[in-house]
Amino acid sequence: MAGAAGPPLPRLLLLLLLQLLALPAGRAGRAGPDSLYVSEYFSQSAQKLSFYSWYGNAKLFHFHVPEDTVLLRWLLQASRGKGPECTSMEITVHFRHGAPPVINPLGTRFPANATVRPSYNISITLSSAVQNTTFVNVTTPAAGDWFIAAHLPQAAGRIEVKGFSTPCPYMFQADMFVLRLTDMPVLEPGVPMPHTVVSPAKPLHVKVFVPKHAAAMRFQLSSCVTSEQRACTVRVLLGSITLPQSFQRSLTCTGSTNCSLALESPPWEKWLQIMVESLGTANASVSVEMLASFTVCRPGSTSSFLNFISLNQSQSAPHRPGAAGSSALAAAEAPQNTSGQRSSSCLQSQPVVREDLDVVSVRYRLLNGPSVPVSSLSPTLLLLNLNTGMDSGGSLVVSLLLNKTSVSLANATVAACVSAASPVLSLNATQNCSTAFSQGYPLSVSTSSAEAMLIVLYPQTDDWFLSLQLLCPRGQGGCASAEGRVSVFAYLTPCFNDCGPYGQCSLLRRHGFLYAGCSCKAGWGGWSCTDDSKAQTVGTQNLATLLLTLSNLMFLPAIAVAVYRFYLVEASVYTYTMFFSTFYHACDQPGVAVLCIMDYDTLQYCDFLGSVVSIWVTILCMARLKKILKYVLFVLGTLLIAMSLQLDRRGVWNMMGPCLFALLIMVTAWVHHGAKRRHCYPSSWKRWVFYLLPGITLAFIAISVYAFMETNENYYYTHSIWHVLVACSVAFLLPPRDKHKKPWAWPQKLTCRYQICQNDREELYAVT
């Protein structure tokens, strides 16, 4: 993340304009007797956008919003090239707080049991204008990580050869401007605090710290009077705005009577922003008195809680001041809790240890075993720590398995809620799972359905909680002594189920932030490659493999012709190409019909090398050079081709360069032969009509298919046609053998060799 120091002159002017637009009248400098606003600017380098086919095509921007921010403004700049290939384009931009946006531009299906909440997005259109500048404002934004993802529409699926066409560059850059208070007043819990709202243009901002184990919060506003001694009207906004969903709570107070708002399960150990704005006349100030009080929940088995905290602190230091410093929420030392202990506490917490396995890979282990006790008197709570800042790029998986319940309560259900920032402390049959400023994810298990799973895609950076409670069909009083046991398995993985058999899990990086995405194949789609609506059948996959591999057997006629005409080096090159092209395409298949005899990268390199060298030696063979010169060019050209392929394997000039240079040598040699013989070379019209023209035609058709017709859908048969056409053109273009060379006739050669020996003996005898 780059700062605002030293931008170029146009960006500096734009920055100054942005600051002027962001500061309303009266907000610059001091807004009140004790409030000072400070502006900060953050920028990241522009990125080239791509057409969307999977999450890796979306360009991610990662920003951090500081605490006490009252205004956030995004500056989004999109631009395109000026060439004729650049057309009107729509850019989609997604926003999310706490984690990368979960997007679905292709409309595919998500995996079963996955939670999906659409991201907040806007569209930026580049039509006649080369550049587009868009502003997005967020008042009282939530502090922490914010993510922006931008991409172009769905990819067309055409396979473009690098160098044949010049794609239009579409660039996107996101800058962030924040306005924050350096000394925001603190509202002490339980202490009434008078404040003054100077004018409607200058709202009052205060904050209150929510303690740990807070079950409820009550905000009260009283003694509301104006400077003109009239009935006042104010609006109170509690909480911060988050995207895609915002759970900011609003309260409108009129007159001098007390008004209050109760919040269940406020976010633990966080600062809660409160904004009070006057709805009265412009020149009248408003005086109010605010009071915040909390109902704190006492967890069960405090002694065990302290023991576990001390154990965890001996292993690792606390990660933030004021926090417990552990990655587990302590619980009862033994699972056998008495009914008296449960009735005197509002929750029973279980100790959970976070075990980091790899990048974006975490396993949560319960100290008391995978099975936890669940009762109807108070919820059982587990803490899943995902607040390291590097955990939001994977998938959180929570799996429940019901072990047993009381025999007399066969119809009882264990309700569960997975929520961020604060736990759900009151579970009921409606399974709402809502807290003060967020919406949790419900789960339930029973004797009829003993298993349940939840997949949270890109969980936001925060403390996550799993709450479990036993619900009785006859009401909570009917199963006071009942207890169920549920096995809990929770882990964070880069890709759920490793993207399945038809996907590849790729670890992506934006600066220092790592996140994962699935690249699907064989027609499969979706977030985890579980959408089979366009999937290829196994028969289609086998057909594709057979076409791409067996089509290389068309090199056998070219090899036979080369051997028959004594072009043994050329025949060896064609054999090499046929072998590696066959096994490269057998390894390159996206489905289940895959065979890799060696490393994929090695097979690909050998296939590309053999293809280009085959064209090189064929054209040089047609030039009819002297043997020593021809073989020197063979070796030298092969070495240069190997070097260029190592530099850029898919560049068009790696194939076109050797072809054009070989054609230049061939034309020069043919002109030399024609001038020496004083007639056209090759001189035979049959050679032109029956060999050269068909071979050249096949070669041009093959190049056209390879460069302009291949797509992801038709690749397996268009590329097979390319194999056939190239192999057949080689068989036609190879020149006839030298006149002084006799055809292969093994019996005659053996007989001739015997006769020569016999003649030598007769001559030797005659001399003697």
Side-chain angles (χ1 to χ4, degrees):
M1 190 180 299
L9 183 59
R11 294 289 302 281
L12 181 59
L13 295 176
L14 185 60
L15 173 59
L16 295 175
L17 175 62
L18 180 63
Q19 292 181 348
L20 291 175
L21 291 174
L23 290 173
R27 278 200 179 182
R30 291 186 177 271
D34 298 317
S35 297
L36 177 65
Y37 289 96
V38 174
S39 61
E40 293 180 333
Y41 175 70
F42 303 90
S43 177
Q44 289 189 7
S45 59
Q47 297 190 66
K48 185 178 180 181
L49 298 180
S50 303
F51 290 94
Y52 191 88
S53 60
W54 69 294
Y55 201 89
N57 300 127
K59 303 305 178 182
L60 195 68
F61 295 83
H62 179 202
F63 293 94
H64 185 81
V65 176
E67 292 282 353
D68 302 337
T69 298
V70 297
L71 178 63
L72 165 65
R73 172 164 289 186
W74 301 107
L75 170 61
L76 310 177
Q77 300 180 78
S79 61
R80 62 176 175 86
K82 300 180 180 179
E85 68 277 1
C86 296
T87 59
S88 299
M89 190 61 61
E90 185 177 82
I91 300 172
T92 306
V93 185
H94 305 263
F95 301 83
R96 190 184 177 191
H97 168 260
V102 178
I103 62 179
N104 188 19
L106 306 182
T108 54
R109 294 197 302 264
F110 286 87
N113 304 317
T115 61
V116 181
R117 289 173 182 169
S119 64
Y120 174 80
N121 64 82
I122 63 172
S123 296
I124 300 176
T125 303
L126 289 173
S127 53
S128 58
V130 178
Q131 187 170 358
N132 186 312
T133 301
T134 304
F135 296 93
V136 177
N137 296 334
V138 181
T139 57
T140 61
D145 295 330
W146 282 76
F147 293 86
I148 296 178
H151 61 84
L152 297 176
Q154 181 179 357
R158 181 172 172 266
I159 301 177
E160 295 184 355
V161 180
K162 184 179 179 181
F164 268 113
S165 60
T166 304
C168 177
Y170 296 93
M171 306 299 295
F172 180 81
Q173 181 172 358
D175 300 333
M176 184 182 74
F177 173 85
V178 296
L179 190 71
R180 65 181 181 88
L181 276 170
T182 58
D183 51 356
M184 184 177 291
V186 177
L187 183 61
E188 296 289 341
V191 179
M193 182 175 292
H195 282 283
T196 301
V197 183
V198 179
S199 68
K202 302 175 182 178
L204 172 67
H205 295 273
V206 299
K207 62 180 179 179
V208 60
F209 186 77
V210 181
K212 193 174 184 179
H213 302 138
M217 170 186 171
R218 183 178 179 84
F219 175 81
Q220 182 177 332
L221 189 142
S222 60
S223 304
C224 181
V225 293
T226 65
S227 59
E228 300 174 351
Q229 300 301 320
R230 296 180 181 177
C232 69
T233 303
V234 295
R235 181 173 59 186
V236 182
L237 296 176
L238 289 88
S240 303
I241 291 181
T242 60
L243 296 177
Q245 288 180 307
S246 180
F247 296 90
Q248 196 175 41
R249 308 296 289 272
S250 176
L251 175 66
T252 302
C253 301
T254 304
S256 59
T257 58
N258 297 345
C259 62
S260 61
L261 179 65
L263 301 175
E264 297 290 335
S265 299
W268 289 0
E269 297 184 289
K270 285 184 173 57
W271 288 101
L272 180 63
Q273 257 196 66
I274 302 174
M275 184 177 73
V276 183
E277 54 183 350
S278 173
L279 303 180
T281 58
N283 297 325
S285 62
V286 177
S287 298
V288 296
E289 187 176 84
M290 292 179 288
L291 175 65
S293 57
F294 294 95
T295 301
V296 179
C297 174
R298 188 174 70 86
S301 301
T302 307
S303 59
S304 177
F305 176 79
L306 297 176
N307 290 337
F308 180 71
I309 291 299
S310 62
L311 173 63
N312 192 71
Q313 287 179 342
S314 66
Q315 297 176 352
S316 61
H319 64 274
R320 65 174 186 269
S326 67
S327 63
L329 187 66
E333 186 173 358
Q336 292 82 11
N337 292 321
T338 63
S339 301
Q341 288 176 323
R342 285 192 176 271
S343 61
S344 61
S345 60
C346 62
L347 63 90
Q348 298 295 322
S349 54
Q350 292 289 327
V352 181
V353 174
R354 172 190 166 115
E355 183 179 356
D356 291 275
L357 303 177
D358 205 338
V359 179
V360 201
S361 183
V362 178
R363 181 175 60 190
Y364 297 97
R365 183 164 51 90
L366 278 71
L367 289 186
N368 295 330
S371 180
V372 297
V374 181
S375 75
S376 63
L377 300 178
S378 59
T380 300
L381 190 64
L382 285 77
L383 170 63
L384 308 177
N385 188 335
L386 290 174
N387 58 9
T388 65
M390 298 298 293
D391 302 325
S392 58
S395 297
L396 175 64
V397 182
V398 178
S399 179
L400 304 180
L401 176 62
L402 180 63
N403 289 346
K404 62 181 179 179
T405 58
S406 299
V407 179
S408 59
L409 296 173
N411 296 326
T413 301
V414 175
C417 285
V418 179
S419 57
S422 58
V424 178
L425 299 178
S426 178
L427 286 81
N428 49 46
T430 59
Q431 291 287 288
N432 189 21
C433 286
S434 61
T435 61
F437 299 103
S438 65
Q439 176 63 47
Y441 306 100
L443 282 170
S444 65
V445 289
S446 62
T447 53
S448 59
S449 179
E451 296 184 18
M453 177 182 287
L454 175 70
I455 308 168
V456 182
L457 307 175
Y458 287 168
Q460 69 187 60
T461 300
D462 217 324
D463 286 333
W464 286 72
F465 298 91
L466 172 62
S467 306
L468 302 101
Q469 192 168 2
L470 190 66
L471 301 181
C472 300
R474 299 191 301 270
Q476 297 302 94
C479 56
S481 60
E483 183 179 87
R485 300 195 67 85
V486 178
S487 296
V488 179
F489 304 94
Y491 58 93
L492 179 73
T493 179
C495 302
F496 175 68
N497 199 23
D498 202 23
C499 299
Y502 294 99
Q504 179 180 359
C505 183
S506 300
L507 196 62
L508 309 171
R509 182 178 66 88
R510 172 58 179 168
H511 292 180
F513 181 75
L514 298 175
Y515 59 106
C518 287
S519 176
C520 306
K521 50 191 179 181
W524 289 71
W527 189 269
S528 301
C529 301
T530 55
D531 188 351
D532 59 351
S533 57
K534 298 181 181 179
Q536 297 179 2
T537 62
V538 177
T540 303
Q541 297 174 32
N542 292 331
L543 176 62
T545 303
L546 291 175
L547 283 175
L548 288 169
T549 54
L550 297 183
S551 59
N552 288 284
L553 296 180
M554 290 303 295
F555 271 98
L556 289 176
I559 296 172
V561 171
V563 171
Y564 178 75
R565 296 176 181 177
F566 288 93
Y567 297 122
L568 301 183
V569 175
E570 290 83 345
S572 302
V573 173
Y574 302 151
T575 304
Y576 175 93
T577 303
M578 180 184 68
F579 177 84
F580 280 103
S581 180
T582 299
F583 286 100
Y584 164 65
H585 286 290
C587 184
D588 187 48
Q589 293 311 298
V592 295
V594 180
L595 175 63
C596 296
I597 62 172
M598 59 181 69
D599 182 66
Y600 173 84
D601 188 69
T602 303
L603 290 173
Q604 185 187 66
Y605 181 82
C606 294
D607 173 52
F608 287 17
L609 178 64
S611 301
V612 182
V613 173
S614 295
I615 299 173
W616 171 256
V617 300
T618 301
I619 299 177
L620 290 181
C621 184
M622 294 171 61
R624 291 285 194 171
L625 303 173
K626 292 183 178 180
K627 281 189 176 182
I628 184 63
L629 178 60
K630 183 178 75 168
Y631 292 133
V632 168
L633 290 175
F634 277 6
V635 175
L636 183 61
T638 301
L639 295 176
L640 292 175
I641 291 170
M643 179 197 67
S644 64
L645 287 176
Q646 182 65 28
L647 295 175
D648 187 4
R649 196 169 298 180
R650 296 187 178 276
V652 65
W653 288 106
N654 291 331
M655 181 179 294
M656 296 297 295
C659 291
L660 294 177
F661 187 66
L663 286 173
L664 179 62
I665 295 175
M666 185 190 73
V667 171
T668 303
W670 282 9
V671 170
H672 174 73
H673 293 325
K676 187 176 181 180
R677 300 183 182 185
R678 297 184 180 276
H679 58 76
C680 182
Y681 184 87
S683 57
S684 172
W685 65 270
K686 293 182 179 180
R687 177 69 185 163
W688 282 97
V689 173
F690 296 110
Y691 295 98
L692 293 180
L693 290 181
I696 294 173
T697 303
L698 291 173
F700 271 106
I701 296 175
I703 293 174
S704 301
V705 171
Y706 177 80
F708 306 110
M709 295 180 61
E710 285 188 356
T711 64
N712 293 326
E713 287 74 19
N714 64 14
Y715 174 80
Y716 66 94
Y717 60 84
T718 53
H719 200 75
S720 300
I721 294 174
W722 152 263
H723 289 165
V724 174
L725 293 176
V726 169
C728 293
S729 68
V730 168
F732 277 100
L733 293 175
L734 280 176
R737 66 179 180 271
D738 294 336
K739 294 182 179 179
H740 67 276
K741 290 200 177 211
K742 297 181 181 179
W744 291 95
W746 298 104
Q748 296 180 9
K749 288 183 178 293
L750 291 176
T751 304
C752 179
R753 186 173 301 165
Y754 176 77
Q755 290 292 336
I756 290 175
C757 295
Q758 188 177 14
N759 293 340
D760 290 342
R761 286 184 179 182
E762 288 177 355
E763 291 176 2
L764 200 62
Y765 178 77
V767 172
T768 302

